[in-house]
Amino acid sequence: MQRILIIDDDTYICKLLDKYLAKNGYKTETAFTGSTAIRKLKDERFDLILSDYRLPDKNGLDILNQAKIRDQRLPVIIMTAYEEMATAVQLIKSGAYDYITKPLIPEEVLRLINEALDKKAPREDPVSFEHGFISGKSTKFQEILDHIRIIAPVDMSVIIEGETGSGKEFVARSIHFNSQRKNGPFIAVDCGALPKGVVNSELFGHIKGSFTGAIYDKKGLFERASGGTLFLDEISNLDSENQMKLLRVLQEKQVTRIGDNRSFKVDVRIIVASNEDLLLKVQKNNLREDLYHRLNEFKIVVPPLREREEDVLVFAAEFVKRAARRFNKVVLGFDKDVEWMLMNYHWPGNIRELKNVINRAVLLTDKQVFSLKEIPEEIKTRQALKQNTDSGHDGKLSDVHLKDAAHQAEKEVIIKALIRSNYNKSQAARLLNIDRKTLYKKIKRYNISLIEQ
């Protein structure tokens, strides 16, 4: 029975998750503070951690770092408020498996846990090039597919650049599973999540007694990936010493474990990724120039979802199908208002954010076609504010007088009230403590344009 550590200072949430996960075959432990959780991590073994970001004495990053020190492959899912999305994205960059927003939907929590544990488990059968692949319609996406088909059979190093959540690891997996190495291992590691003290050991291995805590011989990631592909995400987070060792391994195709005099031959294809331009990293001295040129035999740039508008509805429709199958529901799609919102929203979290929104909507709806009621209000608010801001002034503070600022603030409050009332103007007027006629006048004055159901 797989064990899950639940960390939250809200005892009700802990009890709710404990009971629900136990019913679904998991053994759980709970901790109400970060310190208690860290003690449990030291003394016990867990298969997954589900942690709130805000704890009385620690935060989600503290828990994540402690978890990764003990087991680099231990999945950590962060529970957070929606307004903390920027923090959640940063945690994913640091090695968290994913995040889930409160209020929690137990079925969505279970789905994410199952997905994380399934991904952690070793795959006996390699995934084919097309398996699980959502083929977009945009020209930019078709270019990525063409690049994958061209580079996959050729044993060259590849750099993949793109924003967090844009699908870089999936591109790396597609290259591997469409290559001559497809029957070998594919090992992915986030260099930014590796604690400084263990990077050398994780990458290159060590022998027993080579340092305090080295109680057994350990193969590094290069040895474990031999015959296959090693995917190094956020490569520029490696320090200069390990960048130099990485360059030497790539040139000599040999690794030496810490404390050992022997070298081992390795046959590994390297694919690296970054959410920033690595050439700029070189110019800022965050990445060795000789390592960059050694890795840059071929580069693929994955554009953000907002630059691939033709792909949004393709991905959304496929996510609806998958969510319906996963949750055993008959949901066929979404209405025109949702379609408009999906196409016009900025998607700062890229494909991952889109998938989360669709999953939640499918879970919440009781109809075959879901509407804006199932879309998180925070997203509708962001979209509404963006839409109305785009149609107004350029937002420069130097151009905004006090009266203008007051009007802009009033406009935003009205928009939020309309969304909160699900576009019922009478209810929105009551929320604002004004009459319906006044509300109409203000909507007209501020040229407020919102999707109406």
Side-chain angles (χ1 to χ4, degrees):
M1 185 178 289
Q2 291 176 301
R3 303 181 74 238
I4 297 174
L5 177 59
I6 303 168
I7 311 168
D8 199 311
D9 60 334
D10 188 326
T11 57
Y12 174 76
I13 288 179
C14 287
K15 289 177 181 178
L16 178 68
L17 290 172
D18 179 71
K19 186 176 180 180
Y20 182 76
L21 293 175
K23 281 184 178 180
N24 285 276
Y26 291 107
K27 185 175 181 181
T28 62
E29 289 279 339
T30 57
F32 305 130
T33 66
S35 300
T36 302
I38 291 171
R39 284 198 300 271
K40 286 180 178 288
L41 282 171
K42 289 179 180 179
D43 299 334
E44 304 176 52
R45 184 193 65 80
F46 296 97
D47 297 289
L48 182 139
I49 295 174
L50 183 63
S51 176
D52 189 24
Y53 177 71
R54 295 189 180 278
L55 298 166
D57 55 339
K58 305 283 182 183
N59 62 37
L61 184 59
D62 298 324
I63 301 299
L64 177 62
N65 289 337
Q66 290 296 321
K68 293 301 180 181
I69 288 173
R70 280 150 186 80
D71 183 354
Q72 183 61 35
R73 297 180 65 245
L74 180 61
V76 178
I77 297 172
I78 301 294
M79 299 179 287
T80 182
Y82 197 91
E83 59 266 21
E84 296 172 332
M85 176 173 286
T87 301
V89 171
Q90 188 59 46
L91 284 165
I92 290 175
K93 292 179 185 178
S94 300
Y97 175 77
D98 211 331
Y99 66 89
I100 189 164
T101 55
K102 293 183 175 181
L104 300 177
I105 301 173
E107 293 88 349
E108 174 66 3
V109 175
L110 179 63
R111 179 201 65 77
L112 199 55
I113 287 172
N114 289 338
E115 183 182 278
L117 291 172
D118 179 64
K119 189 173 181 180
K120 178 186 176 186
R123 297 181 181 273
E124 296 179 0
D125 299 318
V127 180
S128 68
F129 179 67
E130 297 297 333
H131 179 71
F133 195 86
I134 307 175
S135 185
K137 294 181 178 180
S138 68
T139 301
K140 291 183 178 181
F141 195 87
Q142 292 303 316
E143 288 177 358
I144 293 173
L145 291 181
D146 290 341
H147 287 160
I148 291 173
R149 293 188 181 98
I150 291 168
I151 194 58
V154 184
D155 214 17
M156 297 170 66
S157 299
V158 180
I159 290 176
I160 305 172
E161 293 179 350
E163 293 182 4
T164 299
S166 59
K168 298 189 295 296
E169 183 172 340
F170 190 85
V171 171
R173 288 182 180 275
S174 297
I175 292 171
H176 171 76
F177 290 118
N178 203 44
S179 73
Q180 302 298 319
R181 296 174 174 268
K182 62 184 179 182
N183 293 322
F186 177 90
I187 295 180
V189 60
D190 185 343
C191 297
L194 291 172
K196 287 186 177 181
V198 301
V199 175
N200 201 324
S201 172
E202 285 292 323
L203 289 176
F204 311 115
H206 65 252
I207 63 173
K208 181 179 179 180
S210 56
F211 56 86
T212 303
I215 58 176
Y216 53 82
D217 290 352
K218 178 180 179 178
K219 288 185 178 181
L221 294 172
F222 271 90
E223 284 186 78
R224 288 166 48 200
S226 193
T229 302
L230 179 58
F231 174 58
L232 300 174
D233 199 5
E234 300 306 327
I235 181 69
S236 61
N237 283 309
L238 291 179
D239 59 29
S240 57
E241 179 184 353
N242 282 297
Q243 288 184 25
M244 182 178 66
K245 290 182 179 180
L246 175 59
L247 177 63
R248 187 181 303 125
V249 170
L250 295 177
Q251 292 172 339
E252 300 175 359
K253 299 188 184 302
Q254 292 183 335
V255 295
T256 303
R257 297 179 187 174
I258 298 174
D260 201 350
N261 295 322
R262 298 170 298 165
S263 294
F264 298 86
K265 283 190 173 295
V266 290
D267 173 26
V268 178
R269 181 181 195 168
I270 297 294
I271 301 177
V272 303
S274 174
N275 60 7
E276 298 182 65
D277 187 336
L278 286 179
L279 191 55
L280 292 178
K281 291 287 189 179
V282 171
Q283 295 169 358
K284 294 178 181 178
N285 295 320
N286 293 325
L287 182 69
R288 291 177 61 100
E289 184 173 5
D290 48 3
L291 177 59
Y292 171 80
H293 291 300
R294 177 64 183 79
L295 293 169
N296 191 29
E297 294 183 312
F298 194 89
K299 181 181 289 187
I300 295 176
V301 177
V302 183
L305 192 57
R306 62 183 172 274
E307 295 180 9
R308 295 150 44 191
E309 290 184 357
E310 304 96 315
D311 296 337
V312 173
L313 296 183
V314 176
F315 278 83
E318 182 59 29
F319 289 148
V320 170
K321 292 179 184 177
R322 295 182 183 187
R325 287 196 301 267
R326 185 179 301 120
F327 305 134
N328 195 28
K329 301 184 75 171
V330 180
V331 181
L332 304 179
F334 36 82
D335 66 21
K336 290 294 183 181
D337 287 341
V338 173
E339 180 178 322
W340 188 94
M341 188 280 297
L342 294 176
M343 289 296 293
N344 287 276
Y345 183 58
H346 193 61
W347 297 114
N350 287 294
I351 297 172
R352 183 181 287 117
E353 183 183 10
L354 173 62
K355 184 178 180 182
N356 287 345
V357 169
I358 296 297
N359 283 337
R360 289 173 66 90
V362 172
L363 273 172
L364 290 171
T365 190
D366 56 0
K367 299 177 182 178
Q368 291 187 359
V369 175
F370 64 81
S371 67
L372 284 176
K373 288 188 293 185
E374 283 77 46
I375 300 298
E377 288 195 9
E378 293 83 357
I379 287 185
K380 290 185 286 190
T381 301
R382 283 187 183 186
Q383 177 54 37
L385 293 176
K386 177 180 181 296
Q387 179 187 355
N388 286 280
T389 300
D390 289 347
S391 64
H393 59 76
D394 61 7
K396 293 180 181 177
L397 187 59
S398 59
D399 296 333
V400 180
H401 299 291
L402 183 60
K403 186 176 180 180
D404 295 327
H407 287 168
Q408 184 63 24
E410 185 178 58
K411 177 179 177 179
E412 292 179 7
V413 170
I414 292 170
I415 291 170
K416 290 180 180 179
L418 285 165
I419 293 171
R420 184 177 174 185
S421 63
N422 204 25
Y423 312 104
N424 183 313
K425 295 182 180 65
S426 296
Q427 186 178 346
R430 287 195 295 272
L431 287 172
L432 294 166
N433 199 26
I434 59 177
D435 59 54
R436 185 184 174 93
K437 186 177 180 180
T438 301
L439 176 60
Y440 272 111
K441 286 182 179 179
K442 290 183 179 293
I443 289 174
K444 185 176 180 180
R445 177 194 301 173
Y446 295 131
N447 193 26
I448 294 174
S449 173
L450 290 173
I451 311 168
E452 297 196 26
Q453 302 193 108

